[in-house]
Amino acid sequence: MTVNISAIVLLLIATFFLLRSKAVGFGSALVLFLLGFFTAGTGAYGPIHDLCTSFAQALANLRT
């Protein structure tokens, strides 16, 4: 019997344990999480990309 586990699930579990053991900070984990979605091109890519684009535009508008 074979069990297939998505790479996303494995990485999520690894991130959870790294955060729990305080080996990685929350900010670093968030950046790696977003990078994973950008490179994976999953269905969540669109909303996450739009959120990051909106955030970058909001920061750019604060400077002007």
Side-chain angles (χ1 to χ4, degrees):
M1 180 177 166
T2 350
V3 177
N4 292 328
I5 299 176
S6 171
I8 297 290
V9 173
L10 289 175
L11 291 172
L12 184 63
I13 291 170
T15 304
F16 172 77
F17 283 112
L18 286 171
L19 282 171
R20 190 165 173 110
S21 68
K22 299 192 193 255
V24 173
F26 179 75
S28 300
L30 180 63
V31 168
L32 292 173
F33 178 75
L34 292 173
L35 177 65
F37 272 106
F38 279 117
T39 56
T42 62
Y45 171 80
I48 291 174
H49 184 266
D50 293 342
L51 177 70
C52 290
T53 303
S54 298
F55 184 69
Q57 289 174 350
L59 286 178
N61 288 337
L62 288 176
R63 294 187 135 194
T64 58

